[in-house]
């Protein structure tokens, strides 16, 4: 199997497929391999490739044939844009959108202050371990060890070629989130008004959830960016007379979104409900419906390989079947971030107020119903239903796709309040100021109180400063082995699929974990590293050991004389 994987990735994919379609082709081959339950020879690989590629080509030809006459017309705005660049005024753009540039500057400042001094935590270290591998090994490692698709890791793989410092790695997500903030601004500007756009961008820029996960080396920043563009492209496909660009854009962006996270399929019901609202309002013609349905079929065809893969993974360990308290706590995290000192009754009140705002806004102003119902409530309800009826997928941080629309809804409501006159406008200004203050305090509280578990960076620094030559360091399991060695040996020094989990560092220091054979030394000092949730490799309860706790990452030092 391993030889087959090496051949299939190195000899076929790596040399012929590039960038965007690579992860689709990869999953498609594995889907065929799954169906046949055996290694696929060269001929079958080739046939499988052409069969799957033919499906995409045929669908593309149908789209082009269906709207072939209009394609040139649809490309004309792009030509006009470049022809009119000589009339483009940067000064005018800065003047009109000056609040946005101030907000983006504030957003950058907040995020770099927030992540100052923070190392990579457990999930991030797994991300960079996969992404730092040679391309072929990376794809195999992700499929072997990770419950998520490969697109984010492919993007991170190329980012790491420019640097591997903690700040550089996290900057990848920060830059994406800055683009997401600008995208939310222009979305609100287009469908609502300038004041709503300013408020939405400001709230999103200081939103505790967005700041926290926007500084992680994970896929959540890209998740939040793409969901904004899915809304725009789906809307354009439904209402615009020009179809070619919205079709291509929605297909590419949605498939990219689906291949970012294991539960990205939550966006599909949102897209469908979006179109259903237009159909219910009789604002969608039959011809528009046909092209929209064909686009959705194309997306599903491209997503089938991952659906098969996802079904074989099984339930994720930290997924839950949500009760009332889980739902309230999760929504509170997405609204005001992590707050260990916020009692449940306070969380319940705040979420109740937020729901009241959403419902009132949706009922009062029809233009808000799609954003609120399709992109807020539908993903939440879908996650609850699947977790209860099929298998747990509810995650306490896994509804990041709703966050842009969560703050867009609040911005719309605040802007409507500010349109009142006299004393009502004064109250509206107070409410708006209080909202910004509450978010700022929530962000500050999260930064001061929320601590990521398992501080590998400082644990490694401590051990490096105290370990002696010829000593042994035991790690509780293979994933700790990856995380530890990122800092101890250096970035990219551990390959999950090409290591026996026993290696040596400078000074003949041995680092070892399962599945390698474990034999505690009797003639030398050794160290043991494990998390409080792990079972240590070696029972050291009878030893006169020294112990240090790095946010739940336990470091033990056992001198030779006590081990004899």
């Amino acid at each position: 199997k391993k030889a087959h994987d090496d051949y299939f990735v190195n000899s076929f994919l790596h040399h012929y497929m590039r960038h965007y379609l690579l992860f689709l082709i990869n999953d498609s081959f594995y889907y065929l391999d799954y169906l046949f339950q055996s290694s696929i020879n060269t001929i079958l690989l080739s046939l499988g490739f052409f069969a799957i590629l033919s499906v995409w080509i045929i669908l593309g030809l149908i789209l082009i044939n269906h709207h072939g006459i209009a394609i040139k017309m649809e490309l004309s705005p792009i030509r006009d844009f470049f022809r009119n660049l000589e009339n483009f005024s940067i000064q005018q753009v800065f003047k009109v959108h000056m609040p946005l540039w101030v907000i983006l500057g504030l957003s950058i400042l907040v995020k770099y202050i927030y992540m100052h001094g923070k190392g990579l935590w457990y999930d991030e270290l797994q991300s960079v371990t996969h992404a730092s591998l040679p391309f072929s090994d990376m794809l195999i490692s992700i499929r072997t060890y990770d419950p998520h698709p490969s697109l984010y890791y492919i993007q991170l793989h190329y980012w790491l070629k420019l640097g591997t410092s903690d700040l550089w790695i996290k900057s990848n997500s920060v830059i994406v989130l800055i683009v997401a903030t600008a995208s939310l601004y222009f979305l609100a500007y287009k469908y609502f008004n300038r004041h709503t756009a300013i408020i939405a961008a400001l709230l999103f820029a200081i939103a505790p959830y967005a700041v926290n996960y926007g500084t992680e080396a994970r896929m959540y920043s890209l998740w939040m960016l793409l969901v904004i563009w899915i809304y725009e492209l789906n809307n354009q496909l439904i209402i615009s007379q020009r179809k070619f660009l919205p079709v291509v854009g929605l297909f590419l962006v949605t498939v990219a979104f689906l291949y970012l996270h294991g539960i990205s399929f939550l966006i599909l019901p949102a897209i469908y409900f979006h179109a259903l609202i237009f159909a219910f309002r009789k604002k969608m013609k039959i011809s528009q419906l046909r092209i929209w349905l064909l686009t959705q079929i194309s997306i599903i065809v491209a997503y089938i390989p991952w659906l098969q893969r996802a079904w074989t993974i099984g339930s994720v360990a930290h997924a839950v079947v949500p009760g009332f308290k889980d739902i309230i706590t999760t929504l509170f995290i997405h609204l005001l971030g992590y707050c260990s000192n916020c009692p449940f009754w306070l969380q319940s009140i705040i979420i109740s107020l937020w729901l009241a705002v959403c419902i009132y806004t949706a009922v009062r102003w029809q233009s808000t119903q799609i954003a609120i119902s399709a992109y807020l409530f539908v993903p939440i309800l879908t996650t609850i239903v699947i977790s209860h009826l099929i298998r747990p997928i509810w995650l306490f941080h896994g509804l990041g796709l709703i966050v842009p629309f969560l703050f867009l809804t609040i911005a719309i409501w605040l802007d409507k309040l500010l349109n009142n006159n006299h004393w009502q406008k004064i109250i509206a200004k107070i409410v708006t100021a209080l909202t910004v203050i509450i978010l700022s305090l929530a962000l500050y509280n999260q930064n001061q109180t929320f601590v990521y578990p398992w501080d590998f960076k400082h644990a490694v620094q401590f051990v490096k400063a105290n370990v002696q030559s010829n000593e042994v360091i035991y790690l509780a399991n293979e994933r700790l082995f990856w995380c530890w060695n990122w800092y101890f040996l250096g970035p990219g020094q551990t390959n999950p699929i090409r290591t026996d989990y026993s290696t040596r560092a400078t000074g003949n220091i041995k680092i070892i974990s399962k599945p390698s054979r474990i034999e505690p030394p009797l003639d030398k000092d050794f160290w043991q590293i494990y998390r409080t949730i792990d079972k240590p490799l070696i029972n050291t309860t009878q030893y006169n050991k020294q112990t240090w706790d790095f946010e739940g990452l336990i470091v033990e030092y056992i001198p030779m004389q006590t081990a004899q």
Side-chain angles (χ1 to χ4, degrees), residues 515-533:
S516 187
R517 186 177 179 182
I518 307 300
E519 294 181 348
L522 298 178
D523 59 347
K524 62 183 69 173
D525 301 346
F526 67 92
W527 299 74
Q528 180 166 229
I529 317 295
Y530 60 93
R531 299 172 298 174
T532 51
I533 62 174

Side-chain angles (χ1 to χ4, degrees), residues 334-349:
H334 288 77
L335 181 63
L336 292 177
Y338 290 94
C339 181
S340 58
N341 50 5
C342 295
F344 179 70
W345 63 265
L346 178 61
Q347 297 181 32
S348 301
I349 291 174

Side-chain angles (χ1 to χ4, degrees), residues 139-193:
L139 295 180
I140 299 170
S141 181
I142 294 166
R143 174 162 288 273
T144 304
Y145 294 107
D146 204 273
H148 298 299
S150 57
L151 180 60
Y152 170 73
Y153 302 105
I154 292 174
Q155 182 267 333
L156 185 60
H157 172 82
Y158 290 103
W159 185 263
L160 291 178
K161 290 184 179 298
L162 301 177
T164 55
S165 70
D166 292 347
L167 181 63
W168 177 254
I169 291 169
K170 288 175 176 289
S171 294
N172 179 36
S173 296
V174 171
I175 292 171
V176 172
L177 197 64
I178 297 303
V179 177
T181 304
S183 299
L184 182 62
Y185 171 89
F186 286 111
L187 183 77
Y189 189 93
K190 178 178 181 180
Y191 291 104
F192 299 99
N193 57 57

